[in-house]
């Protein structure tokens, strides 16, 4: 069946592989409770093209498949005959990052309660747990300006993300970017955990701040894992878990 759909889409082997990985990513995020109804996006650049894949607007993340992903250009115009619309308001923000950050091939933005809670707290993410210490000094923050991204806000978004791969939209939610989908997945996984633990720790009261010299050692040891394969083992493991429940994402 997948072969037939692939033929109908007339896409390259590389695009089909990207479609399957992105569909898996949507399903994994949903399985882990990180989806938000039919909203929010994970976008992925089609290898070797100035085109992106995005979820079809109106479907739950659990309904995304390789073939129903919509191929669009950087303005959000459809490049394939998909019957599904694209949530252009939602893509505007992703489009700003894809256009200005050529390394950011995979981008996710979520509205999970714990990441939104941290985005909505004045102190932002604090170096008070194992996961959050990975992100100390490498997160940008962007003040809330409302739902719609206007052209001039795009400039501020790029300014605020700086050379980081994570941008916390204050009062809103996180944006996590990476050169590959597996790297984005693992980076988001750690950020999600960091926020969950921070929310719980703050509820208990008196969080312990990790001293800078310990954070430095922690990040140095982490950096030894930062290869081009970062996140690959994790992503493949979660794909196997998906397959035990439903292989529909592959079609
Ligand atoms: Zn949002």
């Amino acid at each position: 069946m997948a072969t037939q759909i692939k033929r109908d889409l007339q896409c390259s082997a590389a695009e089909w592989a990207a479609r399957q990985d992105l569909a898996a990513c949507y399903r994994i995020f949903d399985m882990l409770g990180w989806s938000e109804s039919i909203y929010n996006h994970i976008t992925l650049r089609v290898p070797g093209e100035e085109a992106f894949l995005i979820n079809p607007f109106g479907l739950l993340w659990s309904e995304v498949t390789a073939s129903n992903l919509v191929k669009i250009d950087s303005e959000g115009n459809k490049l394939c005959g998909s019957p599904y619309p694209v949530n252009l308001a939602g893509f505007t923000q992703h489009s700003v990052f894809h256009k200005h950050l050529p390394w950011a091939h995979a981008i996710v933005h979520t509205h999970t309660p714990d990441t939104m809670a941290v985005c909505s707290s004045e102190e932002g993410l604090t170096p008070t747990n194992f996961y959050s210490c990975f992100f100390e000094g490498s997160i940008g923050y962007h003040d809330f300006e409302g739902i719609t991204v206007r052209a001039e806000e795009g400039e501020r978004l790029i300014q605020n993300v700086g050379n980081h791969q994570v941008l916390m939209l204050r009062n809103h939610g996180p944006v996590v970017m990476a050169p590959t989908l597996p790297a984005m997945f693992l980076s988001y996984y750690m950020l999600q955990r960091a926020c969950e633990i921070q929310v719980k720790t703050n509820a208990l009261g008196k969080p312990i701040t990790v001293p800078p010299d310990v954070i430095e050692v922690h990040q140095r040891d982490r950096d030894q894992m930062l290869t081009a394969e970062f996140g690959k083992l994790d992503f493949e493991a979660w794909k196997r878990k998906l397959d035990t429940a439903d292989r529909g994402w592959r079609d």
Side-chain angles (χ1 to χ4, degrees), residues 40 109 111 172:
N40 293 171
H109 167 59
H111 282 184
H172 186 173

Side-chain angles (χ1 to χ4, degrees), residues 19 23 40 42 47 70 130 132 141 147 202:
R19 281 176 173 274
N40 293 171
I42 308 171
V70 185
F130 180 92
S132 67
Y141 288 88
I147 185 172
N202 287 353

Side-chain angles (χ1 to χ4, degrees), residues 215-234:
I215 294 173
E216 201 180 314
V217 172
H218 190 60
Q219 294 191 350
R220 185 198 62 203
D221 293 346
R222 180 271 322 265
D223 288 348
Q224 290 170 0
M225 290 165 52
L226 289 178
T227 66
E229 302 277 278
F230 183 71
K232 197 171 174 216
L233 285 178
D234 304 69

Side-chain angles (χ1 to χ4, degrees), residues 19-233:
R19 281 176 173 274
Q20 284 198 321
D21 276 348
L22 184 57
C25 200
Y26 273 101
R27 299 286 190 107
I28 293 166
F29 266 69
D30 183 68
M31 187 166 61
L32 292 169
W34 304 335
S35 58
E36 180 78 344
S37 182
I38 59 169
Y39 303 103
N40 293 171
H41 309 286
I42 308 171
T43 51
L44 180 65
R45 185 185 293 270
V46 177
E49 296 184 36
E50 280 302 306
F52 307 91
L53 296 168
I54 192 168
N55 49 331
F57 190 40
L59 297 191
L60 296 170
W61 287 27
S62 57
E63 298 175 306
V64 173
T65 66
S67 56
N68 71 22
L69 285 163
V70 185
K71 187 178 180 180
I72 52 177
D73 65 18
S74 60
E75 305 299 325
N77 301 305
K78 282 201 270 183
L79 298 173
C80 61
S82 171
Y84 295 101
V86 170
N87 179 359
L88 280 182
F91 179 66
T92 312
Q93 191 188 84
H94 286 237
S95 133
V96 168
F97 298 121
H98 279 304
K99 264 191 216 164
H100 293 93
L101 307 171
W103 54 266
H105 294 163
I107 302 178
V108 66
H109 167 59
T110 69
H111 282 184
T112 62
D114 292 303
T115 57
M116 283 185 98
V118 171
C119 285
S120 304
S121 76
E122 203 176 313
E123 55 189 357
L125 193 69
T126 55
T128 50
N129 69 66
F130 180 92
Y131 288 113
S132 67
C133 285
F134 286 138
F135 294 96
E136 180 65 6
S138 42
I139 287 186
Y141 288 88
H142 178 76
D143 287 340
F144 190 54
E145 298 187 23
I147 185 172
T148 313
V149 176
R150 294 159 303 280
E152 79 277 8
E153 185 177 4
E155 289 166 25
R156 284 190 291 282
L157 281 166
I158 295 303
Q159 220 167 41
N160 289 331
V161 74
N163 58 0
H164 305 314
Q165 299 197 2
V166 177
L167 183 66
M168 299 294 257
L169 306 175
R170 290 195 187 278
N171 310 104
H172 186 173
V175 179
V176 175
M177 297 164 266
T180 69
L181 200 61
M184 181 282 285
F185 169 72
L186 185 52
S187 182
Y188 183 86
Y189 184 101
M190 292 193 288
L191 181 69
Q192 173 70 34
R193 278 282 187 269
C195 293
E196 288 168 5
I197 297 159
Q198 181 169 319
V199 168
K200 286 180 190 294
T201 310
N202 287 353
L204 287 172
K206 298 184 182 174
I208 304 162
T209 300
V210 178
D213 56 323
V214 177
I215 294 173
E216 201 180 314
V217 172
H218 190 60
Q219 294 191 350
R220 185 198 62 203
D221 293 346
R222 180 271 322 265
D223 288 348
Q224 290 170 0
M225 290 165 52
L226 289 178
T227 66
E229 302 277 278
F230 183 71
K232 197 171 174 216
L233 285 178

